[in-house]
Amino acid sequence: MSVQERKARERAERERLIVATARELAEQQGWDAVTTRRLAERIEYSQPVLYSHFRGKREIIGAVALEGATELATAVRAAAAAAHGPRARVAALARGYLDFAERNPAVYDALFQLDGGLPYAQEDTPEPLKDAFAALLETLGEVAGEGVAPGLFTEVFWAALHGLATLTRAGRLPPQDAERRVELLVDRLAVL
Amino acid sequence: MSVQERKARERAERERLIVATARELAEQQGWDAVTTRRLAERIEYSQPVLYSHFRGKREIIGAVALEGATELATAVRAAAAAAHGPRARVAALARGYLDFAERNPAVYDALFQLDGGLPYAQEDTPEPLKDAFAALLETLGEVAGEGVAPGLFTEVFWAALHGLATLTRAGRLPPQDAERRVELLVDRLAVL
DNA sequence: AAACGATCCTAGCACCGCTAGACAATCGAG
DNA sequence: CTCGATTGTCTAGCGGTGCTAGGATCGTTT
């Protein structure tokens, strides 16, 4: 049995290598540069090996997305926990979210811009994705205000953050007023 | 001279045909299906003809984006004009914007998701893009509130709409509560 | 040691964006 | 009207993409 266990371990290890390498390559040169050939070369295996782990490129993106979701949840919770009082917590959450998006653009794209073949907002949504939303909900639910469903409020706040993150990075919004936009968003949306 | 004029006219006509066909194909089957081969076949010319009008596929996307910007501006202005009172106007603008995004997903992508090679938020930004933002500003500037720059407020409101539009269409947000999300956004962000 | 299975790679498919160079049609000059 | 030049368009092809079939090779088991 030990031999099979070792093989399974090595296989799992290689799968992690693939995901980590894809992520690294995407952060360095963008997702367009993540081709199956380049990826295969970097992990020092041939292309078909990738397909023994993933159905295709889409699933690799999905794997990076799941990894990113866990980290996003952690980042958001850490940011919120470091602040005191509802107002400061929400502002910290917003900055933490945007900061994550800015520092991990490829991961953010895998999560919310590209097609990783993952189901969102459904029962069979993978746990990391649900948890990332839950991390937002924990802080934002407190400032939803009277008669507003916390989930709905979180969705709207999240959408606003997502819009700021993507439009800013794509050069659709000038980067300099980012902080003032966050302030405005927090002050207006959250009921304190 | 008349011969050259006719040729120029025919050239311009063919260029319109290319853009219209690209847009049509994108709306029907998505931008991934808009390949230079398919596009050339649909306009009944060979591939290289495309490159005598545009530098490449990116510029074709850009041309569709410019067309879309003009339409978006018109749609937003029409929606706002049909409503009376600040609250109703802002809500109508929001619905008009989201409606445009939903009905013209490929055009919306060309504008705000894909790279059309256009400069945004700069001095040399093409007029249609500036005007689309201006259309938002006209209505949203009135409800920015005391001490808040109309431009900044418009940016935030726009980002929120963009987030709702993209996340909803990508299946990241459940579609059923769309209207309630708009209501919440308008009630909280706008100062009436 | 030999045969078997799992594992991996070479080679290739159809498609992509883009372009060089041959060809044909049209134009202007003599 | 003819002939050369210019303009316009096409065929063919380049290097790249995601993905896969089929053969070789390796480690394992008997």
Side-chain angles (χ1 to χ4, degrees):
Chain A
M1 274 302 163
S2 166
V3 170
Q4 293 183 9
E5 284 176 11
R6 195 203 70 226
K7 287 201 174 184
R9 218 167 41 231
E10 287 172 356
R11 237 189 101 76
E13 177 57 34
R14 193 172 62 181
E15 188 157 316
R16 275 194 296 273
L17 177 64
I18 293 173
V19 176
T21 305
R23 176 178 177 166
E24 191 180 310
L25 193 49
E27 292 292 4
Q28 284 172 356
Q29 311 184 38
W31 276 106
D32 280 350
V34 183
T35 70
T36 55
R37 281 171 176 73
R38 252 193 288 263
L39 187 50
E41 193 189 8
R42 286 228 183 174
I43 65 168
E44 295 181 313
Y45 281 96
S46 69
Q47 275 179 289
V49 165
L50 301 174
Y51 292 86
S52 73
H53 288 272
F54 302 95
R55 285 178 176 275
K57 189 179 174 181
R58 170 186 299 196
E59 271 198 6
I60 297 178
I61 295 173
V64 172
L66 287 185
E67 206 178 277
T70 304
E71 294 177 20
L72 175 59
T74 302
V76 161
R77 286 199 176 97
H84 303 296
R87 166 73 170 76
R89 242 195 320 275
V90 173
L93 174 139
R95 290 193 195 95
Y97 183 97
L98 294 175
D99 197 53
F100 180 89
E102 191 178 333
R103 284 150 82 138
N104 309 278
V107 172
Y108 192 85
D109 282 346
L111 261 169
F112 301 127
Q113 297 269 64
L114 301 175
D115 180 11
L118 301 173
Y120 286 74
Q122 295 174 211
E123 313 84 46
D124 59 340
T125 293
E127 208 47 53
L129 295 178
K130 286 184 179 173
D131 189 54
F133 187 81
L136 296 176
L137 186 66
E138 287 159 18
T139 294
L140 294 173
E142 293 181 1
V143 294
E146 295 278 330
V148 173
L152 190 82
F153 177 80
T154 301
E155 288 172 356
V156 171
F157 200 100
W158 171 40
L161 288 176
H162 177 70
L164 288 177
T166 56
L167 290 177
T168 302
R169 186 150 60 81
R172 260 76 167 181
L173 284 176
Q176 63 263 22
D177 292 328
E179 176 56 26
R180 284 169 60 203
R181 284 192 282 262
V182 173
E183 295 282 341
L184 179 59
L185 188 69
V186 172
D187 285 334
R188 290 283 169 87
L189 274 190
V191 174
L192 304 169
Chain B
M1 276 301 164
S2 167
V3 170
Q4 293 183 10
E5 284 175 11
R6 194 203 69 227
K7 288 203 173 183
R9 218 166 41 232
E10 287 172 354
R11 238 190 99 76
E13 177 57 34
R14 194 173 60 180
E15 189 158 315
R16 276 194 296 273
L17 177 64
I18 292 173
V19 176
T21 305
R23 175 178 177 166
E24 191 181 309
L25 192 50
E27 292 292 3
Q28 285 172 356
Q29 311 184 43
W31 276 104
D32 280 351
V34 183
T35 69
T36 55
R37 287 180 223 289
R38 252 192 288 263
L39 187 49
E41 193 189 9
R42 285 229 184 173
I43 65 168
E44 295 182 314
Y45 282 95
S46 69
Q47 274 179 289
V49 166
L50 300 174
Y51 292 85
S52 73
H53 289 272
F54 302 95
R55 284 177 177 277
K57 189 180 173 179
R58 170 186 299 195
E59 270 198 6
I60 297 177
I61 295 174
V64 172
L66 286 184
E67 205 179 278
T70 304
E71 295 177 19
L72 175 59
T74 302
V76 161
R77 286 199 175 97
H84 303 296
R87 166 72 170 75
R89 245 197 314 278
V90 173
L93 174 139
R95 292 194 194 94
Y97 183 97
L98 295 175
D99 197 53
F100 181 88
E102 190 179 333
R103 284 151 80 138
N104 309 278
V107 173
Y108 192 84
D109 283 346
L111 262 169
F112 301 127
Q113 298 269 66
L114 302 176
D115 179 12
L118 301 173
Y120 285 75
Q122 296 173 212
E123 313 81 47
D124 59 340
T125 293
E127 208 48 51
L129 295 178
K130 287 183 177 174
D131 189 54
F133 187 81
L136 297 175
L137 187 66
E138 288 159 17
T139 294
L140 294 174
E142 293 180 1
V143 294
E146 295 279 328
V148 173
L152 190 82
F153 178 80
T154 301
E155 288 172 356
V156 172
F157 201 99
W158 171 40
L161 288 177
H162 178 69
L164 288 177
T166 55
L167 291 176
T168 302
R169 186 149 61 81
R172 260 78 167 179
L173 284 177
Q176 63 263 22
D177 291 328
E179 177 55 25
R180 283 169 60 202
R181 285 192 282 262
V182 173
E183 296 281 340
L184 179 58
L185 187 70
V186 172
D187 284 335
R188 291 284 169 86
L189 274 189
V191 175
L192 303 170

